[in-house]
Amino acid sequence: MNEATPHNETAARTSPLSEREKNVIIAGVLLSMLLAALDQTIVAPAMPTIGKALGHADYLPWIVTGYLLTATAMAPLYGKISDVRGRRPTIFAAIIIFLIGSLISALAPNMLLLIIGRAVQGLGGGGLFALSQTVIGDLVPPRERARYAAWISGTWAVASIAGPLLGGTFAQHLHWSLIFWINIPLGLVALAIINNPLKKLPITARSHRIDAAGASLLVAATAVLLLALNWGGSQYSWLSSTIIGLLGASAALWAMFGLRLRRAVEPLISLDVLANPIVRYGTLSMFTAQAANVGLSVYLPVYMQSFHGLSAGASGVAMLGLLLGAVAGATFSGRTIPRVARYKMIAIVGALFSLICLAVLALLTGRSSLLVLELLTVGAGFGTGMTFPVATISVQNAVDQAHLGVATGVLTFLRSLGGALGVAILGAIALGNGLPLGGESLQMGSASLTSAMPFAYIFLACSAAMALSLLVLWLMPEKSLRGHTESDIPTVVE
C-alpha cells in the first residue's frame, strides 16, 4: 500500500497512558460497539412479526443482509478515515449515521423503507465494529490483547441476553418498531460517555486516499450477488435468464473490483496485507465461521416459532443458548490464549466441536425435543465462539503496527461479508424449499418430518461452513504472540 508521509508532526511532549486510562478508553469504545451488537440480536425474534405487519415476507432476509451489506463495504474505509480525522470524530459520525438509520427503520411504513433504514444503520454499524477492534489494537500488544476478549465477550453477552428478550417482547406485546426506537436513547448516552475518554487517545495523522471507486464496485458486486441468492429458487428458477444474468453481472463486478485493487494507488483492501498467509487464512476462517453463526441466529427463531410452536418472546429466550454459548466460548478462548504456546489448537478444537453439534442438529431436525435443540445450539455457539479471538489476535499479531488498522479492516470486512452471504445463502435454501418466513405455523403430526426438511438443509449448510472454517484454521501458520516493547506502549499527547 502506498502510504503518504505523515503530516503535521506533533512536537509536543508525550507521556505513556496509564492502565486505568487505557481501560476507560476501551470501555468507551465497547459501549459504542454495544449499539451495533444489540441491533443484530434484537431483530431476529421479531422477523416473523415484521413479515406479518409489512407483508412481502420473502424479502425478510434483506432486513439482515441490507444491514450487513453496507456494514461490510464501510469496514475497510473507517480505519483510513479515522487515521485522517481521528478516532473520536469518526466514531461520533458512525453513531450518528447509525441513529439516523434507526429512525428511518422505526418509521418505515413498508418493507422497502425498512430495508433502506437497515442499510443506513449498517453504514454506521460497520464503523462501530471496526473502530472498536482497531482502538484495542492501538492500546494493547497481542499477548495482552487476549485478556480483553473477555471485555468484548461481555459486550456481546449483554447484547445476547437483552437483544432476543427485548426483540421478542416488543414484537409480541408492544410494537416491532420499538426494536429501533430503543437505539436513540442508547446512542445519545454512548455519545456522552465516550466524549472525554477518546480525547486521550493519541492521533498520528496520515494522508490517505479513500478509494471511492473500489468501495462502489464492492457494494455493487455484493448487492447483485445477494439479490441473485435471494431470488434464486423462489421467484425465479436457478437456470432462468434473470438469475444467470445477475450471477454473471456479479462475477464481472468482482473481476473489476479485483482489477481496481491491483491498479489503485491506495486500494480499498491492501494486497500486501492479504499476501500474508496468516492474514489470509485467519480472515477466511472468520468469514466462514461468521456465515454459519449469523445465518443460524437468523433462522433458528423461525425454526422455533414455525416448527416448535414458540411465540416470538419465547423464541427470543430460547435463542439465548446459541448466543451465550458463543460468548462463553470467546471468553474461554481469550483467557486461555496467553497461557498456551499452541494457541491455534484452541480454535481448531472449537471449530470441530461446533461442526459436530451442527451435523447432529441437522440429523435430528424434526425429531429432537426443545431441550436437545438447546443443548446442541449451546455447543455449536460455544465452539464457534472459541475461534473468534484466535483469528482476530492471529491476524493482528501477523502485521506490524503500521498495518494494524488495514489488517483489522480486512478482518472486519470479511467477517461482515461472511455474515451477509451466510444469511443470503440460507435464505435461498429456505425460500427454495417453501420455508414459511412470515410467521405461519407448520402443521405438526404425520407431515412434521417432511415439513422440517428445509431446516435440516439450513443446519447442514451451517455445518459445511464450519467444516471450511476448520480446514483454513488447520492451514493457517502460527506465530508467537508479541508482548510489550517500548514501541508498543501508546502515548497520549499533552
Side-chain angles (χ1 to χ4, degrees):
M1 189 177 69
N2 219 5
E3 292 275 352
T5 56
H7 62 277
N8 295 332
E9 289 286 342
T10 302
R13 293 177 297 108
T14 61
S15 60
L17 284 168
S18 68
E19 194 69 19
R20 179 182 176 278
E21 287 173 324
K22 288 193 294 183
N23 289 340
V24 169
I25 292 173
I26 291 173
V29 296
L30 287 181
L31 179 63
S32 64
M33 182 180 176
L34 176 63
L35 272 176
L38 183 65
D39 217 60
Q40 285 194 12
T41 60
I42 201 173
V43 171
M47 283 178 63
T49 303
I50 294 173
K52 286 180 180 179
L54 300 182
H56 299 286
D58 51 331
Y59 286 98
L60 274 175
W62 280 86
I63 296 177
V64 177
T65 54
Y67 178 93
L68 292 176
L69 171 63
T70 51
T72 297
M74 289 301 295
L77 291 173
Y78 269 104
K80 293 182 180 180
I81 294 172
S82 66
D83 280 343
V84 176
R85 302 296 181 184
R87 306 292 192 227
R88 178 171 164 268
T90 308
I91 291 179
F92 267 51
I95 292 177
I96 291 171
I97 293 170
F98 182 84
L99 295 183
I100 291 172
S102 299
L103 188 62
I104 296 172
S105 300
L107 296 173
N110 53 54
M111 188 67 74
L112 175 60
L113 279 178
L114 177 57
I115 293 171
I116 291 174
R118 288 286 287 165
V120 174
Q121 276 189 309
L123 291 175
L128 298 180
F129 282 122
L131 290 172
S132 298
Q133 296 279 3
T134 302
V135 167
I136 293 175
D138 285 337
L139 295 173
V140 221
R143 181 165 293 279
E144 295 183 22
R145 203 172 297 156
R147 65 189 176 94
Y148 286 91
W151 290 48
I152 298 174
S153 298
T155 302
W156 279 101
V158 174
S160 298
I161 295 172
L165 291 175
L166 291 174
T169 301
F170 289 162
Q172 183 178 355
H173 300 292
L174 299 170
H175 195 271
W176 61 265
S177 65
L178 287 173
I179 67 178
F180 303 112
W181 284 117
I182 195 175
N183 292 328
I184 307 299
L186 289 177
L188 295 177
V189 170
L191 286 173
I193 292 179
I194 68 174
N195 181 44
N196 286 328
L198 285 181
K199 290 179 180 178
K200 297 183 178 182
L201 193 65
I203 302 173
T204 302
R206 294 178 182 272
S207 177
H208 283 291
R209 293 188 178 100
I210 305 301
D211 186 15
S216 299
L217 287 171
L218 175 63
V219 171
T222 309
V224 173
L225 176 59
L226 293 177
L227 191 60
L229 293 173
N230 190 265
W231 282 351
S234 56
Q235 297 192 21
Y236 300 96
S237 165
W238 283 107
L239 296 178
S240 67
S241 58
T242 301
I243 299 302
I244 292 176
L246 286 172
L247 292 174
S250 179
L253 288 167
W254 280 114
M256 293 170 63
F257 177 65
L259 188 63
R260 177 67 185 176
L261 291 183
R262 290 182 175 275
R263 294 187 175 180
V265 175
E266 190 170 349
L268 185 68
I269 302 173
S270 171
L271 294 179
D272 292 337
V273 171
L274 285 178
N276 187 310
I278 298 179
V279 174
R280 186 165 61 250
Y281 288 122
T283 53
L284 283 175
S285 72
M286 186 75 82
F287 172 87
T288 51
Q290 189 71 349
N293 189 53
V294 174
L296 187 63
S297 69
V298 168
Y299 290 101
L300 189 60
V302 181
Y303 172 62
M304 292 175 174
Q305 293 179 40
S306 299
F307 189 80
H308 284 278
L310 297 184
S311 64
S315 69
V317 175
M319 269 193 67
L320 293 179
L322 173 69
L323 300 170
L324 291 179
V327 170
T331 302
F332 170 79
S333 178
R335 291 180 176 177
T336 307
I337 287 171
R339 304 174 184 174
V340 297
R342 300 291 305 277
Y343 59 91
K344 188 178 79 169
M345 289 304 299
I346 300 171
I348 290 175
V349 171
L352 179 60
F353 185 59
S354 179
L355 166 62
I356 293 172
C357 290
L358 289 170
V360 173
L361 181 60
L363 291 174
L364 295 182
T365 303
R367 290 171 290 181
S368 65
S369 64
L370 189 58
L371 175 61
V372 173
L373 172 65
E374 281 293 296
L375 292 175
L376 290 172
T377 53
V378 168
F382 188 87
T384 304
M386 288 174 65
T387 68
F388 292 153
V390 174
T392 301
I393 292 169
S394 296
V395 168
Q396 293 183 335
N397 184 63
V399 299
D400 55 29
Q401 193 71 22
H403 292 95
L404 180 63
V406 175
T408 305
V410 171
L411 182 71
T412 308
F413 161 69
L414 283 177
R415 177 173 180 164
S416 297
L417 182 61
L421 289 181
V423 172
I425 291 171
L426 295 186
I429 294 173
L431 295 170
N433 288 276
L435 188 74
L437 296 181
E440 306 92 333
S441 294
L442 293 175
Q443 294 297 319
M444 306 297 291
S446 60
S448 61
L449 290 179
T450 302
S451 303
M453 285 308 296
F455 295 105
Y457 297 146
I458 285 175
F459 300 147
L460 277 175
C462 291
S463 64
M466 286 308 304
L468 289 174
S469 183
L470 176 62
L471 175 62
V472 294
L473 281 168
W474 186 268
L475 295 174
M476 183 181 74
E478 193 171 33
K479 180 181 178 181
S480 297
L481 296 178
R482 298 192 304 269
H484 259 312
T485 65
E486 289 302 314
S487 60
D488 287 326
I489 302 174
T491 58
V492 58
V493 178
E494 293 180 343

